[in-house]
């Protein structure tokens, strides 16, 4: 009989994950017990928020532990507890909070049912992302990926009366499952080549042994990369992104664009930097191609879009390309710049999708041409959208500039000049399509007409003008404030990211 | 040098005052445009006050930076907030500070969302001030990019029929250039870090560093020069200028011609030359050639224009050619002339755009053929235009003459044949300007031209100060040259020390006794 020694579980280091899962379970149970006898959504939302707040609290605790005691790992080295995992965890939790705030009015307006479960699914997914941030073993990576993905498949299809949403869910599910399989294949090959699935173990093995036949490991690495490239929406594995982003309910899209991407990049960085540093010349070449393709594909794809959500989807692909520039550098500075970018990007993109939510509309579609009167009819919404688009274009003094400066700086330092050039060229292309939207809102309002609009009171908004609810307004204020604050005084976030990336 | 005049940082005040004014304007309710106008004008006037204060305390005979402020911004990237002023930037600041209140006065008739207009206009002023004052490469880039947004919205919101196209073209052209500027700046700073261990974007430190290999220097030089050549604009990167000028609102054109075009030339003087002296000397003939092409081509195309504003826009291409000619002659006279023209051109071309704007307000057309005989109906307006024309074509006693003369003198000494060809531009300039004057103002007025209202006191007050100042420094250029020349000599001395530049005998002005050179 084989005695299985149960590993010592350090609850502290997995507290945020446990709390989020527990909160999600409580919500599901509550709904099951309460049925429709009482209002269930509001309590579920409050409980969910409290769970996220508790998760954030434990992340803070973990941060002080890491700062005082250095990085550690737990649960038989399966979970890493370091600055990196905390940093990523913070971004995930903040995104989840903002996303739930965005959802409140949206769910009601779109008459989406089963709202308590919606909250629970977001919590489960966030728990998977937190796991992903700390995953120190390829098996955990896979489990975390599934935990975060499966709730997202459901969430993407949550507006089940709308065909596009269902389509998005199915598409995401099929392609997501496909990419998970590829990732798992990569895990298997890597295990075959090194005899371990632990990231530290792989690194250890590779530093003490020289592989005579590298083929298996390289193949494993490529498959791991491909699997993760699906998740972060890198070209040429991006095909699902526009359709899913467009079809999914807008708050879910915001969550996918921000938190999922953060988690995907977190695990990508961790695998490459902790398990495979010996092969950095190999994976840097792969990432070079991936980054260049992603930048070009995202920017050029965005040029052709006529729908705001699709445009934002392509722009998020382009952003993945910029983050890949930082990862590709293969240096601490590269990781730092990627983390800063992810942090800033989360606020910029949630802000932009918050505008999509605020625009309202039955079928959640917003053709860019329909925005043509918004500069006049809804000046606040238009100004905010313009702000977020300019921030995404990287115009100073917004945070978007700091983000781009960081990754370009990392590329320059690592002598990745070709990638630097691709990056700056695509940022000009990007400026073009962001401007197209802004121009539509502001300059198209009186095309061909005379200068008739002299300070008329903005009362014609009686036609379908949903008021800006308090939760959405809160999200917008937070995102604008962060985007300006980091843009003007970036030191705090840069130092935070530096500490997080040094520890890895 | 201390950063303070009378106990406060004057350069920061110059940058921040318009921005604070803009934020105040944003808080004014939209129903009270007159309040927004008043605040806007006061903010730009206060900026002018600070600028004049700085001019008063500016020490002549000193070639280095004055009023330097050095604060940390984000250290982990080596970026600081560093501002300072020297002979090159001094008069750009003054010109900006003068043109913006005038631009606001000239925009008094704007009825379409005046509050937003004034907001963007003041933001533009703050950003331009930042461009001319920043001594940190990233700080410079931040302002350089930030300037695009207000200008974009000004053109897109208040331009004429084709404004969407013009606004986008302006933004994309500039953004394309500045993307390479950013890339080159980053590479430069990280190469410096690899060599010395210090990560900094402080332009003074980078300029003092001599560790660049020659081929790297050439590449980085071109990275910077793409941005500056587009902005200047040098042929063949000039095509955005006529479109943008034609579509921009009058005050936008004034500011564009007056200071935004100078940003390119300023960038060459400040960053191209000091950071990459060897590459500058190597490629000087190329840029001289492009400048000469700009002068001749700009003049010829200007003569063919049917649209008055477009004509002046092409004349700006020619004038910028003279500035770049003087710059790339790399001689004391030539640089003096370039820097002087950078002061003079805002005055003369600004006046021309203002008068054309007045014609447009009256007739809602800029088609030269639609006018005629305006001298009879609007003599004061005609007088303004005639004087502005004389000033613009470089008639002696006006400032344009001094600048062009010095530019050509310096170029003749160093690169004779380029100067010879460029001189034809002076004649062509007289041809197209006088021809336009003849078509618009002389003859017998018909229809609307016969009943055109003459210039009122506000319009006179807007144009006359510019022309008076042009006349003043044209007659007595010493106060301006005294402040420019030390910096010019410092730059030329840098070239003598760091490169194998052979200065011609005619340009052997002593450069060794200037104080404050880096």
């Amino acid at each position: 009989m084989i005695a299985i020694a149960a590993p010592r579980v350090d609850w502290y280091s997995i507290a945020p994950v446990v709390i989020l899962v527990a909160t999600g379970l409580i919500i599901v149970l509550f709904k099951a017990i309460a049925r429709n006898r009482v209002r269930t959504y509001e309590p579920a939302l409050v409980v969910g928020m409290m769970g996220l707040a508790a998760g954030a609290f434990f992340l803070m605790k973990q941060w002080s532990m890491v700062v005082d005691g250095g990085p550690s790992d737990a649960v038989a080295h399966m979970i890493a507890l370091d600055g990196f995992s905390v940093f990523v965890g913070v971004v995930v939790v903040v995104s989840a909070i903002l996303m739930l705030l965005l959802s409140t009015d949206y769910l009601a307006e779109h008459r989406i049912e089963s709202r308590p479960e919606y909250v629970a699914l977001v919590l489960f997914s966030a728990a998977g992302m937190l796991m992903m941030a700390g995953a120190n073993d390829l098996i955990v990576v896979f489990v975390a990926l599934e935990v975060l993905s499966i709730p997202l498949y459901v969430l993407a299809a949550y507006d089940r009366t709308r065909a596009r949403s269902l389509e998005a869910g199915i598409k995401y599910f099929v392609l997501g499952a496909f990419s998970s399989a590829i990732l798992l294949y990569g895990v298997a090959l890597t295990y075959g080549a090194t005899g371990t699935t632990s990231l530290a173990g792989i690194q250890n093995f590779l530093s003490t042994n020289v592989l005579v036949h590298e083929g298996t490991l390289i193949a494993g690495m490529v498959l791991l990369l491909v699997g993760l490239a699906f998740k972060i929406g890198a070209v040429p594995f991006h095909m699902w992104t526009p359709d899913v982003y467009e079809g999914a309910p807008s708050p879910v899209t915001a969550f996918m664009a921000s938190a999922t991407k953060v988690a995907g990049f977190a695990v990508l960085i961790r695998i490459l930097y902790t398990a495979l540093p010996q092969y950095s010349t190999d994976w840097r070449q792969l990432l070079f191609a991936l980054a260049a393709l992603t930048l070009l594909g995202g920017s050029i794809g965005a040029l052709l879009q006529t729908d705001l959500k699709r445009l934002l989807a392509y722009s998020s692909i382009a952003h993945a390309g910029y983050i890949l520039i930082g990862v590709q550098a293969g240096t601490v500075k590269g990781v730092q710049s990627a983390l800063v970018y992810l942090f800033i990007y989360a606020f910029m993109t949630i802000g932009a999708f918050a505008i999509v939510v605020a625009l309202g509309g039955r079928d959640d579609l917003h053709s860019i041409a329909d925005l043509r009167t918004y500069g006049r009819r809804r000046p606040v919404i238009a100004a905010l959208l313009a702000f977020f688009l300019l921030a995404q274009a990287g115009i100073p003094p917004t945070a978007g500039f700091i983000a781009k400066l960081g990754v370009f700086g990392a590329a320059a330092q690592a002598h990745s000049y070709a990638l630097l050039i691709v990056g700056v060229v695509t940022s000009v292309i990007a400026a073009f399509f962001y401007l197209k939207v802004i121009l539509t809102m502001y300059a198209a309002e009186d095309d061909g007409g005379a200068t008739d609009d002299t300070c008329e009171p903005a009362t014609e908004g009686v036609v379908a003008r949903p008021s800006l609810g308090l939760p959405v307004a809160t999200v917008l204020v937070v995102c604008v404030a962060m985007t300006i604050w980091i843009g003007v005084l970036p030191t705090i976030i840069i130092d935070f990211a530096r500490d997080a990336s040094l520890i890895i | 040098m201390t950063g303070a005049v009378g106990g406060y940082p004057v350069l920061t005040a110059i940058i921040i005052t318009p921005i604070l004014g803009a934020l105040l304007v944003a808080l004014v309710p939209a129903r009270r445009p007159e309040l927004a106008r008043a605040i806007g004008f006061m903010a730009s006037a206060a900026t002018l006050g600070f600028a004049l204060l700085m001019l008063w305390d500016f020490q002549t005979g000193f070639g280095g930076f004055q009023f330097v402020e050095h604060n940390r911004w984000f250290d982990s990237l080596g970026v600081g907030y560093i501002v300072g002023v020297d002979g090159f930037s001094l008069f750009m600041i003054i010109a900006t500070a003068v043109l913006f209140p005038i631009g606001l006065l000239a925009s008094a008739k704007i009825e379409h969302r005046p509050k937003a207009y004034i907001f963007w206009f003041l933001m533009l002023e703050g950003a331009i001030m930042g461009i001319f004052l920043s001594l940190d490469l990233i700080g410079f880039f931040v302002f350089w990019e930030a300037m695009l947004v207000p200008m974009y919205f000004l053109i897109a919101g208040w331009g004429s029929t084709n404004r969407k196209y013009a606004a986008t073209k302006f933004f994309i052209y500039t953004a394309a250039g500045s993307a390479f500027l950013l890339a080159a700046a980053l590479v430069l700073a990280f190469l410096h870090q690899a060599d010395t261990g210090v990560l900094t974007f402080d332009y003074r430190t980078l300029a003092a560093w001599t560790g660049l290999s020659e081929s790297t220097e050439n590449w980085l030089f071109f990275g910077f020069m793409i941005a500056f050549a587009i902005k200047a604009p040098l042929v063949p990167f000039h095509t955005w200028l006529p479109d943008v000028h034609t579509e921009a609102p009058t005050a936008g054109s004034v500011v564009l011609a007056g200071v935004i075009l100078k940003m390119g030339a300023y960038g060459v003087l400040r960053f191209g030359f000091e950071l990459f002296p060897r590459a500058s000397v190597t490629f000087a003939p190329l840029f001289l050639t492009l400048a000469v092409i700009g002068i001749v081509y700009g003049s010829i195309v200007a003569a063919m224009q049917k649209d008055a504003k477009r004509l002046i826009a092409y004349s700006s291409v020619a004038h910028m050619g003279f500035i770049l000619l003087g710059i790339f002659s790399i001689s004391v006279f030539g640089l003096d002339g370039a820097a002087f023209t950078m002061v003079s051109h805002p005055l003369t071309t600004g006046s021309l755009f203002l008068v054309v704007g007045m014609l447009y307000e009256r007739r809602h057309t800029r088609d030269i053929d639609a006018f005629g005989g305006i001298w009879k109906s609007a003599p004061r307006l005609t007088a303004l235009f005639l004087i502005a024309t004389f000033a613009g074509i470089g008639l002696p006693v006006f400032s344009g003459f001094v600048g062009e003369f010095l530019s050509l003198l310096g170029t003749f000494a160093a690169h004779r044949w380029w100067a010879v060809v460029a001189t034809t531009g002076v004649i062509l300039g007289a041809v197209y300007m006088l021809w336009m004057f003849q078509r618009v103002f002389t003859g017998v007025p018909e229809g609307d031209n016969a009943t055109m209202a003459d210039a009122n006191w506000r319009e006179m007050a807007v144009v006359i100060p510019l022309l008076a100042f042009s006349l003043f420094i044209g007659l007595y250029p010493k106060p301006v040259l005294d402040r420019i020349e030390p910096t010019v000599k410092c730059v030329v001395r840098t070239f003598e020390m760091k490169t194998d530049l052979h200065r011609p005998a005619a340009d052997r002005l002593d450069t060794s006794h200037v104080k404050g050179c880096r």
Side-chain angles (χ1 to χ4, degrees):
Chain A
M1 185 176 153
I2 307 157
I4 298 173
R8 206 178 65 79
V9 176
D10 179 4
W11 293 105
Y12 225 118
S13 54
I14 56 169
V17 179
V18 173
I19 287 171
L20 292 193
V21 173
T23 319
L25 289 174
I26 290 169
I27 292 169
V28 175
L29 282 175
F30 165 70
K31 173 68 194 282
I33 294 165
R35 303 259 172 166
N36 290 328
R37 288 194 288 272
V38 288
R39 294 170 73 88
T40 46
Y41 175 59
E42 287 78 7
L45 185 66
V46 170
V47 171
M49 285 293 188
M50 280 162 58
L52 286 167
F57 172 78
F58 276 98
L59 283 170
M60 306 269 197
K61 283 277 186 197
Q62 288 185 347
W63 177 252
S64 56
M65 271 171 65
V66 170
V67 168
D68 294 340
S72 57
D73 50 29
V75 202
H77 312 299
M78 288 284 191
I79 301 282
L81 172 58
D82 48 25
F84 187 77
S85 70
V86 176
F87 186 97
V88 173
V90 168
V91 181
V92 167
V93 168
V94 171
S95 306
I97 292 173
L98 293 175
M99 181 270 190
L100 283 179
L101 282 176
L102 271 190
S103 310
T104 49
D105 289 348
Y106 184 90
L107 295 177
E109 252 171 51
H110 289 251
R111 306 216 174 80
I112 294 173
E113 288 163 21
S114 321
R115 286 179 236 163
E117 288 88 339
Y118 179 93
V119 179
L121 285 169
V122 172
L123 290 174
F124 290 141
S125 184
M129 293 170 190
L130 288 183
M131 246 168 106
M132 197 118 159
N136 203 22
D137 191 290
L138 291 176
I139 300 294
V140 180
V141 169
F142 179 72
V143 172
L145 192 69
E146 291 300 289
V147 172
L148 88 81
S149 299
I150 292 170
L152 278 180
Y153 302 147
V154 183
L155 285 172
Y158 221 75
D159 194 356
R160 58 176 176 259
T161 54
R162 197 158 53 86
R164 276 175 181 279
S165 179
L166 288 174
E167 183 194 327
I170 298 282
K171 228 170 217 170
Y172 194 31
F173 171 66
V174 172
L175 284 169
F178 189 58
S179 73
S180 296
I182 292 177
L183 183 95
L184 196 56
Y185 202 2
V187 172
L189 286 178
T190 312
Y191 176 73
T194 60
T196 174
T197 54
S198 153
L199 297 187
I202 294 169
Q203 197 269 336
N204 207 17
F205 178 84
L206 293 176
S207 61
T208 50
N209 299 282
V210 177
L211 292 181
V212 183
H213 302 292
E214 292 180 320
T216 316
L217 182 68
I218 299 281
M221 184 170 83
V222 170
L223 290 177
L224 284 174
L225 260 179
V226 170
L228 292 172
F230 261 108
K231 279 294 156 198
I232 59 177
V235 179
F237 312 106
H238 68 292
M239 280 79 100
W240 59 275
T241 318
D243 293 342
V244 173
Y245 278 23
E246 186 188 6
S250 297
V252 176
T253 312
F255 190 57
M256 284 198 287
S258 57
T260 314
K261 203 156 269 190
V262 174
F265 269 105
V267 90
L268 178 71
I269 291 170
R270 198 183 279 281
I271 290 177
L272 294 179
Y273 281 71
T274 63
L276 301 163
Q278 277 88 359
Y279 282 79
S280 69
T281 35
D282 298 278
W283 57 253
R284 283 192 65 195
Q285 284 172 18
L286 291 171
L287 285 188
F288 174 86
L290 203 59
L293 284 174
T294 308
L295 286 165
L296 290 169
S299 311
I300 294 170
L303 281 178
L304 311 171
Q305 301 312 313
T306 51
D307 182 87
L308 182 59
K309 258 175 114 178
R310 267 187 105 80
L311 181 115
L312 289 174
Y314 273 101
S315 106
S316 91
I317 295 173
H319 283 298
Y322 291 111
I323 302 166
L324 280 171
I325 293 181
V327 182
Q328 195 268 349
T331 56
V332 172
K333 193 165 178 65
V335 176
Q336 177 192 349
S337 68
L339 285 180
V340 171
Y341 203 115
L342 285 164
F343 188 93
I344 292 169
Y345 166 72
F347 288 102
M348 294 192 304
T349 195
I350 291 178
F353 280 109
I355 297 292
V356 176
V357 172
L359 287 175
R362 241 318 18 110
D363 54 352
D364 216 20
L365 287 177
H366 305 282
S367 139
I368 292 170
D370 289 347
L371 298 172
R372 60 201 308 275
T373 53
Y374 274 69
R376 212 156 23 114
R377 264 198 313 129
R378 301 183 68 180
V380 177
I381 294 287
L384 286 173
L385 182 56
F387 172 80
F388 285 118
L389 293 178
L390 287 174
Q392 294 202 23
I395 302 297
T398 63
F401 172 67
I402 302 295
K404 286 219 171 99
L405 182 65
V407 292
F408 289 164
Q413 195 187 30
H415 303 293
S416 304
Y417 297 138
L419 207 47
L420 181 62
I421 298 293
V422 177
V424 297
V425 169
T426 50
S427 65
V428 178
I429 303 177
F432 187 77
F433 61 75
Y434 293 126
L435 285 183
K436 203 171 70 177
V437 180
I438 298 173
L439 212 52
T440 313
M441 290 194 299
Y442 284 102
E445 57 188 41
D446 45 19
D447 253 358
T451 51
D452 57 332
D453 39 5
T454 43
C455 293
E456 86 288 6
T459 45
E460 57 179 291
V462 192
V463 249
R465 183 184 177 181
S467 64
L468 197 55
L470 183 65
V472 178
T474 314
V475 172
L476 285 172
V477 168
V478 169
C479 291
V480 168
M482 290 301 281
T483 309
I484 293 178
W485 179 54
I486 300 173
V488 178
L489 297 169
T491 307
I492 296 177
I493 188 67
I494 290 177
D495 289 350
F496 184 22
R498 186 194 56 211
D499 294 346
S501 44
L502 278 179
I503 289 168
I504 195 167
Chain B
M1 294 304 292
T2 59
V5 177
Y8 61 91
V10 66
L11 299 187
T12 301
I14 289 174
I15 298 175
I16 209 84
T17 309
I19 296 174
L20 289 180
L23 296 178
L24 262 182
V25 167
L27 295 176
V28 172
R31 326 184 282 291
R32 303 284 307 278
E34 75 288 351
L35 199 60
R37 273 188 231 283
I39 293 174
F41 188 73
M42 262 148 46
S44 62
T47 313
L48 177 59
F50 284 125
L52 292 176
L53 208 63
M54 178 199 64
L55 180 64
W56 183 259
D57 279 1
F58 189 87
Q59 190 187 339
T60 54
F62 185 87
F65 291 107
Q66 309 190 23
F67 313 109
V68 174
E69 297 165 37
H70 191 160
N71 294 304
R72 290 149 34 129
W73 188 13
F74 39 115
D75 283 348
S76 38
L77 282 176
V79 178
Y81 169 77
I82 312 169
V83 289
V85 64
D86 69 356
F88 289 146
S89 46
L90 175 69
F91 287 102
M92 290 293 91
I93 298 297
I94 303 296
T96 312
V98 168
L99 284 181
F100 272 84
I102 286 177
L104 276 177
L105 267 188
S107 322
K109 280 204 170 166
I110 285 190
E111 301 291 341
H112 172 63
R113 297 170 61 211
K115 182 182 129 178
Y117 181 87
I118 294 163
F119 172 82
W120 288 122
F121 206 63
L122 289 175
M123 284 303 226
L124 183 65
E125 179 172 15
I128 290 175
M129 291 297 190
I131 289 168
F132 287 125
L133 290 174
S134 286
L135 299 184
D136 183 280
L137 286 181
I138 298 297
F140 174 77
F141 182 81
V142 164
F143 286 115
W144 181 275
E145 286 277 282
M147 180 278 295
L148 287 180
V149 179
M151 195 63 204
Y152 173 79
F153 278 108
L154 282 175
I155 301 170
W158 291 271
S160 34
T161 38
N162 218 354
R163 59 185 187 273
K164 279 164 73 178
Y165 173 73
T168 309
K169 195 166 181 179
F170 173 74
F171 197 105
I172 294 301
Y173 261 72
T174 315
S178 54
F180 290 96
L181 174 69
L182 176 66
L186 287 168
V187 172
L188 177 68
F190 282 107
L191 287 175
H192 176 258
Q193 186 199 22
D195 189 33
T196 63
V198 183
L199 178 59
T200 180
F201 288 92
D202 184 344
Y203 139 80
R204 297 165 300 174
T205 316
L206 294 171
W209 177 57
T210 52
L212 276 179
S213 76
E214 195 145 345
S215 62
T216 319
E217 183 171 330
N218 291 346
W219 280 108
L220 295 180
F221 175 70
F222 273 99
F224 275 70
M225 282 308 293
I226 289 177
F228 299 146
I230 289 175
K231 199 59 155 230
L234 261 178
V235 175
F237 302 110
H238 66 286
T239 59
W240 63 272
L241 180 70
D243 289 322
V244 172
H245 258 318
T246 315
E247 304 305 328
T250 299
S253 285
V254 170
V255 171
L256 190 67
V259 283
I260 293 181
L261 293 187
K262 308 300 176 299
M263 283 160 37
Y266 170 80
V268 178
L269 285 173
R270 169 75 73 241
F271 298 103
F273 271 15
E274 298 260 322
L275 294 174
F276 315 109
R278 283 175 301 175
S280 305
V281 174
T282 313
F283 293 105
L286 169 68
F287 288 100
L288 283 170
T289 309
L290 291 179
V292 170
I293 294 174
I295 293 170
V296 177
Y297 169 83
S299 304
I300 293 172
V301 178
M304 297 294 117
Q305 294 307 310
K306 290 188 167 63
D307 181 314
K309 227 172 160 183
R310 230 177 149 82
L311 187 149
I312 306 174
Y314 273 106
S315 87
S316 287
V317 175
H319 284 290
M320 291 311 296
F322 276 110
I323 294 179
L324 286 155
L325 190 73
I327 289 175
F328 278 99
S329 75
I330 318 188
S331 60
V332 175
F333 284 138
L335 285 165
D336 271 350
F340 196 88
T341 310
M342 283 165 70
V343 186
S344 149
H345 184 246
L347 304 172
T348 57
T349 305
S351 314
L352 285 172
F353 272 123
L354 285 168
V355 178
V356 171
M358 291 165 196
L359 290 173
Y360 180 74
E361 276 176 13
R362 286 164 170 74
R363 291 286 320 275
H364 294 286
T365 177
R366 293 181 306 260
D367 193 353
I368 294 174
D369 292 337
F371 294 100
I374 289 172
W375 202 330
K376 299 275 191 320
S377 51
R380 287 199 297 272
L381 201 64
T382 310
L384 288 179
F385 192 88
L386 186 61
I387 299 170
T389 301
F390 286 152
I393 61 179
L395 198 73
V397 312
F398 284 104
S399 57
F401 171 72
V402 181
E404 279 178 14
F405 177 72
L406 284 171
S407 283
L408 287 170
L409 190 65
T411 313
F412 190 82
H415 303 274
R416 176 166 306 169
W417 292 105
W418 279 274
V420 168
V421 180
T423 311
T424 59
V426 178
I427 302 158
L428 288 170
V431 169
Y432 62 74
M433 285 309 296
L434 290 175
W435 192 29
M436 171 162 85
F437 180 83
Q438 183 193 350
R439 282 181 290 169
V440 172
F441 291 96
T442 60
V444 181
E446 285 168 6
D448 291 342
N449 292 332
T451 57
M452 183 178 281
D454 206 349
N456 60 28
W457 69 268
R458 179 181 64 84
E459 290 167 333
M460 306 280 280
V462 163
V463 181
I464 285 176
L466 296 179
L467 293 174
F469 195 59
S470 170
L471 184 62
F472 173 71
I473 62 172
L475 286 171
Y476 186 57
K478 187 171 182 299
V480 175
L481 286 175
D482 275 352
R483 286 165 177 79
I484 292 174
E485 201 163 273
T487 307
V488 166
K489 285 182 173 169
C490 285
V491 169
V492 172
R493 204 180 69 165
T494 311
F495 274 108
E496 286 177 327
M497 289 190 309
K498 288 189 180 171
T499 69
D500 50 0
L501 175 76
H502 296 296
R503 287 172 59 212
D507 196 49
R508 282 278 151 79
L509 291 182
D510 188 12
T511 57
S512 58
H513 296 298
V514 184
K515 283 183 292 178
C517 283
R518 292 171 286 281

